[in-house]
Amino acid sequence: MSETSDLRSFHGPNAGYVLDIYERYRNDPDSVDSTWRDFFQDFDPQALTTAPALAPTGDRSAAATALPVSIIVGAHELAEAIRARGHTAARLSPLEDPTDPDPALLPATHGLSEEILKQLPASGVGGPIAGEARNAFEGIERLRAIYSGTIGYEFDHIVGAAEREWLRDAIESRRYHLPLDDEGKRSLLRRLSQVEGFEKYLHKAFFGQKRFSIEGTDMMVPILDEVIERAGQGGARDIVIGMAHRGRLNVLTHVLEKPYDLMISGFAGATQPHPLSEDDLTGDVKYHMGWRDTRTIGENEVRITLSPNPSHLEFVDPVVVGMTRAAQDDTTAPGTPRLDTDVALAILIHGDAAFPGQGVVAETLNMSRIAGYTVGGTLHIIVNNQIGFTTPPAQARSTRYASDLAKGFELPIVHVNADDPEACLAVARLALAYREQFHKDFVIDLVGYRRWGHNEGDEPTFTQPKMYEVIRALPTVREKWAARLVEEGVVSQEEADAMLQSVLDELAHVHSRLQESDATPPTAAPEIRPRRTIEPPETAVPAERLIELNEAMLARPEGFVPNARLARLLERRRDAMGESGGIDWGHAEALAFASLIAEGIPVRLTGQDAERGTFSHRHLVVHDAETGEKLDVIGSIPQARASFEVHNSPLSEMAIVGFEYGYSVFDPQVLVVWEAQFGDFANGAQVIIDQFAAAAYQKWGQRSALVFLLPHGYEGQGPEHSSARLERFLQLAAEDNLRVVNCTTAAQYFHLLRRQAALLRLDPRPLVVMSPKSLLRHPLAASRLEELATGRFEPVLPDVSVDGREDEITRLLLCTGKVYVDLMTSESREGARNVALTRVEELYPFPAAALRAQIDRFPALQEIVWVQEEPRNMGAWTFVRSELVKLAGDAIEVRYTGRPNRASPAEGYATQHAAEQNRIVSTAWEDAPAPRRERKRA
């Protein structure tokens, strides 16, 4: 189209409309449609004629070209306001109509009246390219019906024009509002009858028992049905769901098809299916448990997993996303895993108070488009009861909607009235289509209510009398849907009632059968073998193989030039493989990872600055000094038979640790490692550590072998950069749930990583490593190639310097971690001939047998002194004391040397730190008792 013919289309009011759009284009080109952007490339506003032409009020045929410019512009502004702010006038709540719509939705705001609007043509004037440009004068009433009905759309905050245009077209074309035929309507009524009948029966049969019912947001189940069906048809093989307790039992029963027998027996007091034996059973309440179901959708086998979750509500969010990423990653090939986001979908079901209230939600959203953590879009459903326990929205958040947090991440948000079934299903279809198109998260705000109190024993009228006056008079969504179908002649009232009664009868029959037979309900727990004693695996790697892997990691593509200083540092790793030794911590780690992927074991390492290492010790990703091009040092080795990936994580701990935990649970064949920048940063992930990593196996049968690398050691860096809170992990340790180590040599670390990988399937448990800072390059921590090529991880390292004079030793110093080096390099050590120093490398499981052997080694032993850097009420002392007393018996005294009880982990001043450290070390070595002729045993 020529510029002349193009411009002839615009005159009079059309010209005013074009100038208005042009002004918007000048301010922000992405704020207008692509056809307008193309048109304005060579646009000259002076070429337009703008003489107004007024037509008689009644001349509807001329209205499109004879209305004043101000009216046309006003109508355009009103239409855009409806698109952007129509949600404020939408009928979103089943309880009440909107009370504060945006003033921009009033015609008077734009110089219009309802009478003038009636004169606007239904189709309006043409756009810049006939038949292609979106029409500014689409019927205002139609826009109101779309944007201010029972669905409220928010997408104006999305910057990308393509996304906004796609959403606008999808919404206004209503292509996801698929009409239900009569059978579809009856099917939905049957489903709502199942949902409601389940809750009604439990409420009557087990009155007052907690179940955190779904009633008021019953449409959550049909929404999940729709999402799962469409995702399965789209090729998904895994769907992973995370949710808190509200509605969980209904989702377990109807979405994941957990048998009625099991649900009712749980209310009757029976234990729930659990992979542990009765002797070991801890378990959890029924509305925290998970489940797994497999069904056929089309030609696809789809595995549906509801992850177990504690009462910490939203903390399952990153766990589920991590599980989903594990399902999407193909780790069988060398290099970075091949990611296919179509094969798995994450669904997170949130509470309206928890979504804005708990920071882990924001942390999880922040990961959504970061390469190492993306899953191609998570579907978020806010189950909006319009109240949190007893707290109304005005006391729970500072935003209009519970979903407003998602705006900062440019996610589409759709609010929908939970009592409009067809609208709910349309929104579900829109969400899946958007994810497929843009691979981004989508938020559905399902606005309903809570028919009972926070739990079924709670009285809600104590705090919300007016709200519950409305709720008690409100028909259920099933009753409303049934009434509509009766009115349409789709079903009779008798048929509708019979659907509900059949559900109640089935539940009563199951309950009666269980009572009469006292039968144990069928179990369908995950197949998990109970723990057993495992022989230490072989972890040594032949020296020739290690040299070969080392050379492969030092190789560079032709033309690749790393930083000169770094090149020299890495080149030393070749020399360290020689007889003189000197394999440092980062080098040993790299050799361990390389040997594992060469054996077909995938490795995933993440953390803050994990690629380089916080202390510049790792360098698993090397950058070209000139181009910035990145080289994956390990993943690119030719010997690789499995994937290797390393990612710098966002500056958060809670969601990242949750993600890695979930990844390790869902794919137990991958060695998953998370490193804190400083060990005490793990404080920020305490809920994940306490409720998931430490306790999930005993509660839910959920197993993980996640590795925590937590830099720990007192180097005078103050309270926040010294202690990884070793005591907390030891307090959590019981029932063989964790491995807690504080090793002191590179070889020990090498064997430790390989041991953890060897036990991934045999005996998976989280591994907590108090990793060093100052020892990363310390000569006493370095190892020789022979130490990696032979032996294995040793939980206790004895003092070999006293070989041959064991009968002189009267004091045995026991320590763990970096303080060993301080003790070894102390001047006080030289005169301490009666003192031996032994390292406890693994604290849990406690190495009682190995320590027993060390005590028996010294016949003149009179005292055992536990030496630590941490204060007395921290570190390992409170854990090891009782164990050492049992080993020592009555004849040997057990004492402590370290900092006194303190509220803060460490000194904040270097001079204080040095003085205290010197005191601890010298006290440990000095004034050992003289040998006695014999020692009595208890």
Side-chain angles (χ1 to χ4, degrees):
M1 180 184 295
S2 70
E3 182 178 334
T4 304
S5 61
D6 208 22
L7 290 179
R8 270 199 295 268
S9 301
F10 303 109
H11 55 355
N14 285 359
Y17 170 61
V18 172
L19 289 173
D20 179 63
I21 300 296
Y22 180 61
E23 189 63 27
R24 284 175 51 199
Y25 166 80
R26 289 179 59 196
N27 293 330
D28 179 9
D30 285 339
S31 67
V32 303
D33 293 346
S34 58
T35 49
W36 284 111
R37 291 197 298 271
D38 294 341
F39 174 70
F40 288 136
Q41 290 286 329
D42 301 309
F43 177 65
D44 177 10
Q46 299 300 321
L48 289 178
T49 58
T50 58
L54 296 175
T57 303
D59 187 0
R60 299 297 300 275
S61 62
T65 56
L67 289 170
V69 171
S70 62
I71 292 179
I72 295 175
V73 171
H76 168 73
E77 290 175 347
L78 177 58
E80 291 303 304
I82 292 171
R83 290 179 172 115
R85 302 177 181 86
H87 56 87
T88 64
R91 302 184 306 280
L92 301 178
S93 172
L95 305 182
E96 58 189 358
D97 291 329
T99 55
D100 56 343
D102 195 301
L105 301 177
L106 300 174
T109 303
H110 308 281
L112 304 172
S113 66
E114 292 293 338
E115 182 62 29
I116 290 175
L117 290 177
K118 290 176 183 178
Q119 298 181 37
L120 293 177
S123 58
V125 298
I129 302 176
E132 294 183 19
R134 188 170 300 281
N135 203 308
F137 295 114
E138 231 173 330
I140 295 296
E141 288 308 312
R142 181 172 182 273
L143 290 181
R144 283 173 171 166
I146 291 172
Y147 288 98
S148 296
T150 54
I151 304 175
Y153 300 95
E154 289 191 272
F155 58 92
D156 206 43
H157 54 277
I158 297 175
V159 173
E163 287 181 60
R164 290 201 313 275
E165 288 178 19
W166 186 93
L167 285 163
R168 179 169 158 176
D169 179 66
I171 292 163
E172 295 181 19
S173 69
R174 298 178 68 82
R175 63 172 170 264
Y176 298 109
H177 287 256
L178 306 179
L180 295 173
D181 59 19
D182 286 353
E183 180 51 39
K185 293 176 180 178
R186 284 191 291 267
S187 177
L188 179 55
L189 180 59
R190 280 191 289 270
R191 193 55 155 168
L192 289 173
S193 298
Q194 289 178 326
V195 173
E196 183 175 309
F198 177 78
E199 302 289 357
K200 280 183 178 294
Y201 185 83
L202 294 180
H203 193 71
K204 179 180 178 181
F206 304 102
F207 184 76
Q209 282 204 40
K210 293 180 182 179
R211 70 180 192 277
F212 301 100
S213 82
I214 201 172
E215 294 162 283
T217 51
D218 307 51
M219 275 303 297
M220 186 203 324
V221 169
I223 286 173
L224 291 174
D225 290 340
E226 186 76 15
V227 169
I228 290 169
E229 181 69 22
R230 288 183 171 269
Q233 291 172 355
R237 298 193 297 268
D238 272 290
I239 295 172
V240 190
I241 305 172
M243 66 182 300
H245 44 267
R246 175 69 54 202
R248 188 181 188 92
L249 298 184
N250 220 303
V251 171
L252 279 166
T253 304
H254 294 117
V255 177
L256 285 102
E257 301 181 352
K258 186 174 182 179
Y260 281 158
D261 309 56
L262 296 177
M263 300 307 300
I264 290 178
S265 67
F267 278 93
T271 59
Q272 291 293 289
H274 197 281
L276 300 176
S277 70
E278 288 297 324
D279 292 339
D280 295 327
L281 180 64
T282 302
D284 203 348
V285 293
K286 50 190 169 290
Y287 39 80
H288 289 171
M289 301 297 283
W291 200 255
R292 178 171 287 171
D293 180 48
T294 301
R295 71 181 65 167
T296 301
I297 300 177
E299 299 180 354
N300 226 6
E301 284 290 313
V302 181
R303 179 172 54 173
I304 306 167
T305 303
L306 176 62
S307 178
N309 190 32
S311 283
H312 287 73
L313 302 178
E314 299 291 338
F315 288 85
V316 76
D317 296 358
V319 176
V320 164
V321 180
M323 289 178 167
T324 306
R325 176 62 181 251
Q328 295 172 346
D329 274 347
D330 179 2
T331 59
T332 60
T336 302
R338 186 170 64 254
L339 177 65
D340 184 353
T341 58
D342 292 333
V343 302
L345 170 67
I347 303 174
L348 295 179
I349 301 172
H350 310 271
D352 55 302
F355 190 83
Q358 298 194 335
V360 69
V361 179
E363 289 190 23
T364 304
L365 292 173
N366 185 53
M367 296 189 296
S368 64
R369 275 173 280 170
I370 298 174
Y373 305 91
T374 185
V375 293
T378 295
L379 174 60
H380 302 267
I381 303 173
I382 298 176
V383 180
N384 195 335
N385 302 143
Q386 307 187 66
I387 190 170
F389 206 149
T390 66
T391 304
Q395 297 174 1
R397 61 178 186 263
S398 298
T399 57
R400 182 187 188 108
Y401 297 117
S403 55
D404 282 350
L405 170 67
K407 290 181 180 179
F409 299 93
E410 296 185 44
L411 306 183
I413 301 167
V414 179
H415 315 275
V416 61
N417 189 313
D419 274 7
D420 186 341
E422 290 177 301
C424 290
L425 296 179
V427 168
R429 298 179 197 116
L430 174 67
L432 262 292
Y434 175 86
R435 179 190 185 267
E436 181 180 353
Q437 182 72 23
F438 296 104
H439 308 290
K440 282 179 60 179
D441 292 23
F442 193 101
V443 179
I444 297 174
D445 181 17
L446 181 66
V447 184
Y449 56 93
R450 186 186 69 196
R451 186 159 289 275
W452 311 106
H454 176 68
N455 60 65
E456 286 65 33
D458 183 49
E459 179 48 69
T461 59
F462 288 164
T463 51
Q464 277 79 34
K466 301 301 292 181
M467 181 186 215
Y468 276 86
E469 182 181 350
V470 174
I471 289 173
R472 284 173 178 171
L474 194 69
T476 67
V477 65
R478 186 202 66 82
E479 290 169 340
K480 290 180 179 180
W481 184 244
R484 174 177 159 183
L485 299 194
V486 169
E487 183 180 351
E488 293 178 358
V490 176
V491 297
S492 66
Q493 187 62 55
E494 292 74 18
E495 287 178 284
D497 294 342
M499 288 183 187
L500 178 62
Q501 190 60 46
S502 68
V503 177
L504 297 173
D505 291 345
E506 182 181 0
L507 287 160
H509 175 71
V510 170
H511 192 184
S512 176
R513 188 178 71 241
L514 288 171
Q515 287 176 318
E516 291 172 3
S517 64
D518 195 26
T520 302
T523 63
E527 182 182 349
I528 300 179
R529 294 183 294 275
R531 294 200 189 286
R532 61 184 187 275
T533 302
I534 302 292
E535 287 296 317
E538 293 293 333
T539 55
V541 179
E544 298 79 10
R545 180 65 161 168
L546 291 174
I547 292 171
E548 173 191 312
L549 293 170
N550 192 62
E551 289 298 319
M553 288 189 288
L554 291 174
R556 304 281 180 268
E558 185 176 351
F560 188 96
V561 181
N563 175 279
R565 183 182 175 191
L566 176 58
R568 290 193 297 272
L569 290 173
L570 294 177
E571 187 62 27
R572 293 176 190 170
R573 292 185 174 182
R574 181 175 284 116
D575 299 334
M577 303 294 281
E579 292 184 5
S580 59
I583 297 173
D584 65 21
W585 204 269
H587 190 187
E589 179 187 75
L591 290 168
F593 289 155
S595 66
L596 289 174
I597 67 169
E599 294 169 10
I601 299 174
V603 176
R604 174 183 169 90
L605 167 65
T606 69
Q608 293 150 3
D609 310 297
E611 291 183 357
R612 192 201 75 175
T614 297
F615 309 102
S616 198
H617 69 286
R618 181 170 288 129
H619 299 291
L620 294 185
V621 174
V622 178
H623 297 256
D624 187 288
E626 296 183 2
T627 66
E629 180 186 354
K630 295 169 66 171
L631 174 65
D632 179 355
V633 170
I634 293 181
S636 59
I637 63 173
Q639 296 89 344
R641 292 173 43 219
S643 68
F644 178 84
E645 59 180 326
V646 55
H647 299 286
N648 291 334
S649 74
L651 193 64
S652 64
E653 291 80 36
M654 185 69 75
I656 297 300
V657 175
F659 184 102
E660 302 304 339
Y661 171 83
Y663 197 109
S664 70
V665 166
F666 212 81
D667 193 344
Q669 300 183 70
V670 181
L671 181 67
V672 183
V673 183
W674 174 74
E675 182 177 63
Q677 192 174 66
F678 287 90
D680 39 356
F681 288 6
N683 289 351
Q686 205 63 45
V687 172
I688 300 296
I689 292 167
D690 289 359
Q691 301 296 335
F692 291 88
Y697 183 63
Q698 279 68 27
K699 291 192 296 186
W700 312 316
Q702 190 176 72
R703 306 186 76 164
S704 166
L706 176 61
V707 179
F708 294 82
L709 301 183
L710 308 179
H712 176 86
Y714 281 49
E715 286 98 0
Q717 296 189 52
E720 277 71 60
H721 289 164
S722 295
S723 174
R725 294 292 190 175
L726 173 60
E727 66 279 359
R728 293 185 182 170
F729 292 97
L730 293 175
Q731 288 164 0
L732 293 169
E735 301 181 278
D736 291 334
N737 63 331
L738 300 172
R739 297 185 180 99
V740 182
V741 302
N742 194 6
C743 50
T744 55
T745 75
Q748 282 279 84
Y749 181 48
F750 171 87
H751 290 297
L752 179 68
L753 289 172
R754 288 185 49 80
R755 184 186 74 169
Q756 184 73 357
L759 296 174
L760 282 174
R761 300 301 295 266
L762 294 173
D763 189 18
R765 312 179 209 176
L767 169 64
V768 180
V769 183
M770 298 287 115
S771 57
K773 302 190 291 285
S774 60
L775 298 193
L776 291 171
R777 301 174 188 84
H778 198 287
L780 284 178
S783 299
R784 292 174 290 107
L785 177 60
E786 179 187 0
E787 296 175 80
L788 280 60
T790 59
R792 56 168 61 94
F793 175 78
E794 297 293 344
V796 173
L797 292 180
D799 188 345
V800 296
S801 69
V802 300
D803 287 354
R805 51 187 184 88
E806 286 86 352
D807 57 354
E808 299 178 24
I809 301 302
T810 61
R811 175 185 293 171
L812 175 61
L813 300 181
L814 295 179
C815 70
T816 185
K818 171 254 172 187
V819 74
Y820 163 77
V821 172
D822 293 342
L823 289 165
M824 285 294 289
T825 56
S826 170
E827 294 179 358
S828 301
R829 174 174 174 251
E830 294 181 9
R833 285 189 55 82
N834 297 344
V835 184
L837 174 60
T838 292
R839 289 166 275 175
V840 182
E841 301 277 288
E842 184 165 50
L843 290 156
Y844 191 85
F846 189 72
L851 284 172
R852 171 83 269 167
Q854 289 303 303
I855 294 171
D856 291 343
R857 181 183 171 202
F858 306 116
L861 192 63
Q862 299 176 37
E863 58 184 23
I864 296 172
V865 179
W866 179 263
V867 186
Q868 68 179 37
E869 303 175 296
E870 304 89 349
R872 187 186 186 101
N873 57 320
M874 302 177 195
W877 169 244
T878 54
F879 174 79
V880 302
R881 182 179 182 276
S882 61
E883 299 287 348
L884 295 179
V885 168
K886 284 189 291 185
L887 290 172
D890 294 336
I892 302 174
E893 182 184 5
V894 176
R895 295 195 297 105
Y896 165 85
T897 292
R899 285 168 170 79
N901 289 337
R902 285 184 177 168
S904 180
E907 300 84 10
Y909 301 98
T911 52
Q912 288 181 332
H913 162 78
E916 188 69 340
Q917 204 78 355
N918 289 335
R919 180 193 66 79
I920 293 168
V921 170
S922 59
T923 301
W925 287 115
E926 293 170 356
D927 301 322
R932 292 196 295 252
R933 288 189 176 181
E934 62 179 83
R935 184 182 76 201
K936 292 183 179 180
R937 285 286 186 185

